[in-house]
Amino acid sequence: MRLKGKVAIITGGAHGMGEAEARLFAKEGAAVVIADVLQKEGEAVAADISAGQGRATFMTTDVTSELAWDKLIATTIATYGKLDILVNNAGISGSSVGDELALAGWERLMAVNATSVFLGTTRAAAVMAKSGGGSIVNISSIMGFIGGADSHPGYSASKGAVRILTKTAAVRFGPSGVRVNSVHPGFLPPMLNNTNADGRASKVAVTPLRRLGEVMDVAYGVLYLASDEASFVTGTELVIDGGYIAQ
Amino acid sequence: MQPGKRLTGKVAIVTGGASGIGAETARIFAVHGAMVMLTDANVALGESVVHDIVAAGGTAQFSQHDVRSEERWSSIVAATEASFGRLDILCNIAGISGRDPTLNIQTSLTAGPRLAEQTLEQWNLVMEINATGVFLGTKAAIPAMQRAGGGSIINISSICGIVGSHANAAYHASKGAVRIFSKAAAIQYAPDKIRVNSVHPGFVDTPMTKPGHSNPDVARKRLEVTPLGRFGTPADIAAGCLYLASDESSWVTGSELVIDGGMTAN
Ligand SMILES: NC(=O)c1ccc[n+]([C@@H]2O[C@H](COP(=O)([O-])OP(=O)(O)OC[C@H]3O[C@@H](n4cnc5c(N)ncnc54)[C@H](O)[C@@H]3O)[C@@H](O)[C@H]2O)c1
Ligand SMILES: NC(=O)c1ccc[n+]([C@@H]2O[C@H](COP(=O)([O-])OP(=O)(O)OC[C@H]3O[C@@H](n4cnc5c(N)ncnc54)[C@H](O)[C@@H]3O)[C@@H](O)[C@H]2O)c1
């Protein structure tokens, strides 16, 4: 087991890639705290993991709230004694905020996709530093590298922010043994409330490996970065995109 | 697949397998169930690594190899298919730093000849082994991987393929070539399910870096700019190669995996 004895928080773990990571991490021996706004779904995932011999709990958490982060981390430590891994995966799609050029949409995207990562990374790193180190994995996107005609400018900006804040955090917290890396998924099944979901089929044609990603494709990369196998990896961008941005 | 083993049934060629990163990668691949064709120019060392792998219960064979020889590449790929039935993974690890081979300890902070003092022969040697060798290997592996229905090619570049330094400019150029060659190969052979990725180690303790790291001033200066505050181990790089070799990364191609303790994020 590759995460034996580790304690992990996965935000946005009630659905999609976060759910896949929660299940994989538990299978690899970690105790997992699923933090999401979707209470019913999150509790069901945690219950399912627990029924299958894994260790998982759910905590209703809005990652845009500083107070919620304090509570999440304190409860994790009270429950499991420590924190080794944080996956900042919660996010919302560009189309979920409606009008592309309205200020409110930009602010919402920055709050959920970027500010949350700042809050989580800094709070978790402080706790991890005290216990000798840890691994933080921040989910950015290929949109953190390239412009996309149908990507909301605020979505791309939020993901670019995650990419570079990850490097700053890696440099800052490296001496305390805290590793911070970003993962950049390409086109996977659509996110919740994505109104462009139909456009997915056309993404296959532009993805060199000729298929959309699956949640496990990303989950395995996150597992690698979370585990001690990557103990010399920090400040790195792991692109998992079927070759899309290499072209 | 047996629990815990991530390369069961796969066949891998690992170049530069006699020493450092290559030896550890070959060993870890074998531990994970791969059948390994270990190649290197250094016969005595290469055979001893194979001996150790086999003694530990793994499957491996040695082939003498100069990665600059196209002819040798085709016979090694043929021998691999003959012995193990297929080819799934090629790990191009053989390489040289271009440093004077008689130098046991680096005496100044800047290694090797500066650009204006570099001879064409020195430049060519580094390019031929580090860059042309990767081209020849990739070229030789592709038909075998097409026969196998896909595969994974892992090319060892370096952080020197991403940033500049006072080190040998030919080394930088060769590693930059590996970085972008890998992307071109990835795009061209993605339809055949052949994945091509590059790995970019930072400073790793191996025979290659020994002359540099034997000078405490050189070692200290490097560690000061490494956020994680240590040198890499061959196992750190081998673990990244394992991830890219296995089906866990089956949607990863044309990517760069930097394993450098945070040095280039700095
Ligand atoms: N699906 C893709 O094609 C794709 C591509 C690249 C990157 N990503 C990124 O990967 C991550 C996961 O995406 P997914 O496809 O699994 O999406 P998803 O919509 O299936 O899951 C996202 C999860 O985050 C949760 N969440 C949203 N806002 C939250 C908040 N304020 N607080 C707590 N939880 C919240 C949601 O409830 C949901 O469970 C996101 O950061 C996304 O931007 C997705
Ligand atoms: N050690 C580091 O800090 C570091 C950093 C970045 C990249 N790298 C790269 O990693 C790879 C492995 O380096 P290492 O540190 O393990 O070095 P090493 O010197 O320990 O091993 C290199 C191996 O390549 C073999 N080799 C050299 N020329 C050859 C040729 N023409 N044909 C076949 N085999 C040949 C050598 O015999 C040796 O066994 C190299 O490509 C190197 O450039 C190393």
Side-chain angles (χ1 to χ4, degrees), chain A residues 8-127:
Chain A
I9 293 175
I10 300 178
T11 72
H15 191 264
M17 292 178 219
E19 177 186 346
E21 284 145 20
R23 291 179 187 277
L24 179 63
F25 278 28
K27 207 176 109 205
E28 293 292 345
V32 178
V33 178
I34 296 169
D36 204 300
V37 283
L38 295 179
Q39 188 184 346
K40 191 162 62 69
E41 291 82 347
E43 279 175 348
V45 175
D48 197 35
I49 291 173
S50 304
Q53 319 289 323
R55 288 193 297 163
T57 46
F58 173 76
M59 267 196 72
T60 304
T61 308
D62 178 345
V63 292
T64 64
S65 152
E66 186 169 11
L67 262 174
W69 271 108
D70 291 341
K71 188 168 151 239
L72 172 63
I73 290 176
T75 309
T76 301
I77 290 177
T79 311
Y80 296 114
K82 59 174 182 163
L83 175 63
D84 302 295
I85 300 162
L86 166 64
V87 184
N88 279 307
N89 160 82
I92 53 173
S93 74
S95 67
S96 71
V97 299
D99 182 358
E100 288 245 309
L101 301 179
L103 179 59
W106 162 276
E107 285 176 340
R108 181 76 191 141
L109 284 162
M110 291 306 274
V112 180
N113 295 355
T115 307
S116 67
V117 179
F118 162 71
L119 290 173
T121 301
T122 51
R123 269 83 191 143
V127 171

Side-chain angles (χ1 to χ4, degrees), chain B:
Chain B
M1 212 191 312
Q2 290 175 46
K5 292 202 178 189
R6 285 142 70 181
L7 300 176
T8 301
K10 298 210 187 271
V11 176
I13 295 176
V14 178
T15 78
S19 175
I21 294 168
E24 185 62 12
T25 300
R27 201 186 62 74
I28 287 191
F29 280 12
V31 165
H32 281 275
M35 292 167 264
V36 179
M37 180 63 85
L38 186 154
T39 84
D40 204 288
N42 189 326
V43 177
L45 263 186
E47 282 179 342
S48 83
V49 176
V50 164
H51 178 87
D52 291 350
I53 291 174
V54 172
T59 304
Q61 274 181 28
F62 177 75
S63 277
Q64 181 174 4
H65 194 184
D66 182 339
V67 293
R68 293 169 292 178
S69 160
E70 184 160 21
E71 217 187 333
R72 201 62 200 121
W73 267 112
S74 51
S75 59
I76 284 169
V77 169
T80 304
E81 286 187 301
S83 294
F84 301 130
R86 53 193 286 126
L87 177 63
D88 304 287
I89 299 158
L90 167 62
C91 218
N92 282 309
I93 304 184
I96 59 167
S97 65
R99 192 178 269 122
D100 175 355
T102 62
L103 198 75
N104 290 319
I105 177 161
Q106 185 178 317
T107 47
S108 74
L109 289 179
T110 61
R114 296 188 72 206
L115 232 164
E117 288 90 55
Q118 190 157 56
T119 66
L120 180 58
E121 288 70 30
Q122 288 170 326
W123 164 276
N124 282 343
L125 182 68
V126 172
M127 291 302 281
E128 278 169 18
I129 295 177
N130 293 1
T132 310
V134 169
F135 157 66
L136 292 174
T138 304
K139 181 181 172 186
I142 282 167
M145 289 184 175
Q146 285 168 326
R147 284 190 283 279
S152 173
I153 299 176
I154 299 147
N155 296 327
I156 306 300
S157 171
S158 165
I159 54 171
C160 295
I162 301 174
V163 296
S165 79
H166 288 286
N168 189 345
Y171 185 75
H172 280 279
S174 70
K175 293 301 184 180
V178 169
R179 171 176 174 271
I180 203 71
F181 169 79
S182 299
K183 291 188 201 292
I187 299 305
Q188 289 183 26
Y189 290 92
D192 298 293
K193 293 195 167 55
I194 299 172
R195 302 184 293 109
V196 190
N197 295 287
S198 54
V199 174
H200 302 263
F203 289 104
V204 179
D205 270 327
T206 70
M208 182 180 279
T209 48
K210 196 149 196 301
H213 296 172
S214 300
N215 179 335
D217 289 334
V218 174
R220 185 178 42 79
K221 281 233 149 54
R222 287 181 181 171
L223 288 176
E224 273 169 11
V225 292
T226 305
L228 289 181
R230 68 167 173 94
F231 290 121
T233 63
D236 291 325
I237 312 307
C241 293
L242 171 62
Y243 167 67
L244 291 172
S246 80
D247 293 338
E248 291 188 1
S249 63
S250 64
W251 202 51
V252 180
T253 196
S255 285
E256 301 161 18
L257 182 56
V258 176
I259 306 178
D260 71 346
M263 200 177 199
T264 56
N266 203 345

Side-chain angles (χ1 to χ4, degrees), chain A residues 2-3 6 135 179 222-231:
Chain A
R2 287 148 75 182
L3 299 177
K6 305 245 188 223
S135 174
R179 302 185 294 106
V222 175
L223 169 63
Y224 165 66
L225 292 172
S227 79
D228 292 337
E229 288 189 7
S231 64

